Amino acid sequence: MTGPLEQAGPEMGQNLEARTQLDVYTWYSPYVHRVAWVLKLKGIDYEFVEENLKDPNKRSPLLLNCNPVYRKIPVLIHHGKPIVESLFIIEYIDDTWKDNPILPTDPYERAMARFWASFIDERLLEGSKRVLSVKGDQLKMETKQVSDAMEVLEGMLEGKKFFGGEKIGFLDIAFGWIAIWLGAIEEAVGVEFFNRRKLPLLETWKDKFKEFHVVKDSLYPTEKLVRFFTKYRHSQLKLAAKK
Amino acid sequence: MSEEVVLLDFWPSPFGMRMRIALAEKGIKYESKEEDLRNKSDLLLQMNPIHQKIPVLIHNGKPVCESLIQVQYIDEVWHHKSPLLPSDPYQRAIARFWADFADKKMSDLGRKIWATKGEEQANAKKEFIESLKLLEGELGDKPYFGGENLGYVDVVFVPFYSWFYAYEMCGDFSIDAECPKLMAWAKRCLEKESVSESLPDQEKVYGFVLQMKKAFGIE
């Protein structure tokens, strides 16, 4: 399946100064997908550059220049200036392109959106990485923690189509790719997160979210993610056994 | 309509200090409730069921949790006085990055400095100084991270200064020797009443750290 995400774009030359933006990217990263979806939702023109993160020596000078502190992706470059950290990038985009706002306008609602996005990163994103790295009793514990967090999200969907209400919002974007991750992790590890009986609202939300136009175009066959996670799990367990 | 603002707090918490500074900068009157973290109040558990941590800001009965989120919240609600975040979107993104950096590094490394020994402590000290130097670089020649006035990064970062003496004693090193510019910045912040009234005495914090070490059986 080809699309803009599969293309490794050229190094930015003159285009940096123009309205075109640059997004540095690795296909499986939830952080990158979040930013890409927001750019698409707002109809902002941008260009991808794929970075090789496996070999730290192969990171482009552009990345090292733009994110010297963490050397991580994604990095958004706008008018030659870099912005890092996916959720900060989204807030920047929302502040700069005011159409189709992603965050709510009310300060209390914004505080809630930021709080729950942070919860999602901590309990679901980091949590799912921990699930991939352990087995036995530890796996049971980590799986339960992720499931508990999903029950909280289920409660938040009461009476709503998306976390953002009628339209997709900040939390839908924050959680979206992680939801797809969790589905693949279920297969790679042999655990269950999505339970149609216990989490009916999340199941419906996931189906609707995957059908949403900006998301649909960015989906990979699940098998690709499952293979990726299986490999990752194998290497993590091997590392743990060495200690 | 009168605003009702309550802060659930704990005196040595750098996260609580951020809110004290921010509320003072904005001139917001509030009720402070000191929590005993070994015996958390029903109010705390009700208002912050997910993390059960302080500080909790309760504005007209509605809770806001997580100090970075709380500071941004009051900056947005009381936006007409002493703005903490810049108005330019790019500068805002930069401020968010450095505040988050300071928050993560100081919390994690600071704890390792007082709670560990040997190689783990040595590594933490090294990374701690490196992080401070990066922050010094970001400060540059400005009086404050926020420019001419206290800003978001200042409010988020300066509370850790009240723990520096404890880190120095536990880690047997001098932060001043390594980062004099940053120490000058901290002293400049303390000249402001909003900061000096919000930060506890460094010796008192050190006493608290010694108590914690004893309680956790750390030498």
Side-chain angles (χ1 to χ4, degrees):
Chain A
M1 175 178 145
T2 55
L5 304 183
E6 296 270 346
Q7 295 159 10
E11 286 277 348
M12 293 307 283
Q14 295 93 325
N15 283 344
L16 259 180
E17 289 311 301
R19 53 162 181 68
T20 327
Q21 287 78 49
L22 161 70
D23 204 351
V24 182
Y25 169 83
T26 298
W27 71 271
Y28 53 80
S29 162
Y31 305 117
V32 172
H33 280 276
R34 285 173 178 172
V35 176
W37 288 334
V38 171
L39 288 167
K40 285 184 190 168
L41 264 170
K42 299 239 188 199
I44 299 165
D45 240 338
Y46 64 101
E47 190 168 330
F48 275 119
V49 170
E50 183 125 12
E51 283 282 334
N52 178 350
L53 290 188
K54 271 204 224 127
D55 185 349
N57 295 318
K58 290 221 176 93
R59 281 168 209 201
S60 72
L62 186 62
L63 173 60
L64 297 177
N65 248 349
C66 288
N67 194 354
V69 174
Y70 289 127
R71 300 175 170 211
K72 290 204 288 198
I73 55 93
V75 179
L76 182 79
I77 305 178
H78 185 212
H79 293 317
K81 298 193 283 196
I83 302 119
V84 298
E85 300 292 314
S86 65
L87 298 178
F88 299 161
I89 295 173
I90 294 171
E91 294 223 32
Y92 171 79
I93 295 171
D94 222 31
D95 282 343
T96 310
W97 287 270
K98 304 231 185 245
D99 284 341
N100 295 326
I102 303 292
L103 275 139
T105 42
D106 171 69
Y108 189 75
E109 294 305 314
R110 288 162 75 85
M112 290 302 105
R114 288 173 181 139
F115 175 83
W116 290 113
S118 164
F119 171 85
I120 283 165
D121 271 357
E122 204 187 290
R123 302 277 176 102
L124 290 159
L125 177 45
E126 294 302 316
S128 63
K129 283 188 201 168
R130 288 194 290 268
V131 165
L132 281 168
S133 309
V134 294
K135 48 184 187 166
D137 281 337
Q138 265 195 295
L139 176 61
K140 271 205 195 110
M141 185 191 82
E142 296 292 349
T143 306
K144 178 166 191 307
Q145 290 201 7
V146 171
S147 296
D148 286 348
M150 287 179 75
E151 277 182 40
V152 175
L153 291 188
E154 173 81 9
M156 287 169 66
L157 280 172
E158 203 70 54
K160 284 155 95 172
K161 197 171 162 189
F162 296 107
F163 290 102
E166 273 306 298
K167 292 198 311 182
I168 281 190
F170 192 60
L171 286 183
D172 303 279
I173 298 280
F175 184 46
W177 188 246
I178 301 164
I180 292 161
W181 258 29
L182 289 171
I185 292 176
E186 282 181 318
E187 255 193 78
V189 181
V191 289
E192 192 193 36
F193 292 125
F194 287 100
N195 183 317
R196 212 165 261 285
R197 202 178 24 92
K198 271 172 72 184
L199 309 171
L201 298 176
L202 266 176
E203 276 289 340
T204 313
W205 170 86
K206 187 165 63 119
D207 293 337
K208 279 210 205 82
F209 188 77
K210 280 164 95 167
E211 279 302 303
F212 193 63
H213 63 97
V214 302
V215 176
K216 215 167 159 180
D217 292 339
S218 68
L219 291 183
Y220 287 87
T222 314
E223 298 86 69
K224 186 168 180 177
L225 260 178
V226 176
R227 272 200 309 274
F228 174 76
F229 284 135
T230 309
K231 239 173 108 175
Y232 176 80
R233 179 171 173 69
H234 182 78
S235 65
Q236 288 294 104
L237 290 177
K238 217 168 142 187
L239 229 95
K242 278 200 186 135
K243 286 194 190 149
Chain B
M1 182 182 92
S2 64
E3 304 276 11
E4 194 200 67
V5 181
V6 178
L7 183 72
L8 304 185
D9 200 354
F10 179 50
W11 72 267
S13 160
F15 314 111
M17 289 174 219
R18 289 170 182 164
M19 279 310 289
R20 290 171 225 163
I21 300 171
L23 288 162
E25 281 288 303
K26 300 278 185 180
I28 299 166
K29 289 201 176 8
Y30 66 100
E31 183 191 349
S32 178
K33 291 193 173 173
E34 186 76 4
E35 284 283 330
D36 174 2
L37 296 184
R38 291 159 303 178
N39 186 17
K40 293 176 183 175
S41 70
D42 288 339
L43 183 62
L44 171 57
L45 300 177
Q46 185 199 347
M47 291 285 150
N48 191 358
I50 296 283
H51 301 299
Q52 304 185 353
K53 288 200 222 166
I54 58 93
V56 179
L57 176 76
I58 310 172
H59 182 205
N60 293 333
K62 296 201 289 189
V64 182
C65 305
E66 299 295 290
S67 61
L68 295 180
I69 294 173
Q70 290 161 348
V71 174
Q72 290 180 74
Y73 172 75
I74 65 166
D75 200 39
E76 286 175 19
V77 174
W78 285 272
H79 54 85
H80 44 276
K81 180 151 192 240
S82 302
L84 295 170
L85 273 141
S87 48
D88 172 68
Y90 180 69
Q91 294 304 326
R92 255 212 293 282
I94 298 293
R96 286 193 171 114
F97 173 81
W98 285 108
D100 185 63
F101 175 80
D103 179 52
K104 286 203 175 82
K105 292 291 178 184
M106 295 293 110
S107 304
D108 177 51
L109 299 169
R111 191 196 54 84
K112 285 185 175 143
I113 292 173
W114 71 258
T116 70
K117 300 189 289 194
E119 203 182 329
E120 199 180 351
Q121 190 194 52
N123 288 336
K125 276 160 61 179
K126 183 166 170 281
E127 209 191 323
F128 182 80
I129 294 295
E130 281 165 4
S131 305
L132 288 185
K133 291 201 157 122
L134 279 169
L135 284 156
E136 256 185 350
E138 173 56 21
L139 179 65
D141 293 321
K142 307 194 291 288
Y144 306 100
F145 286 93
E148 292 304 309
N149 289 305
L150 278 187
Y152 182 57
V153 179
D154 304 278
V155 171
V156 167
F157 181 29
V158 82
F160 291 107
Y161 175 74
S162 65
W163 282 64
F164 278 10
Y165 177 68
Y167 298 152
E168 284 175 320
M169 293 300 286
C170 295
D172 189 26
F173 70 127
S174 165
I175 299 172
D176 193 24
E178 301 275 0
C179 305
K181 244 177 127 179
L182 214 57
M183 298 303 259
W185 158 82
K187 296 202 171 82
R188 204 176 297 128
C189 289
L190 277 163
E191 283 167 16
K192 300 228 166 213
E193 208 180 300
S194 60
V195 179
S196 63
E197 299 278 297
S198 304
L199 263 55
D201 177 66
Q202 293 201 59
E203 295 254 10
K204 205 174 164 200
V205 173
Y206 179 46
F208 171 74
V209 170
L210 289 176
Q211 264 182 8
M212 275 209 291
K213 281 168 79 108
K214 208 165 156 193
F216 290 123
I218 306 164
E219 266 148 55

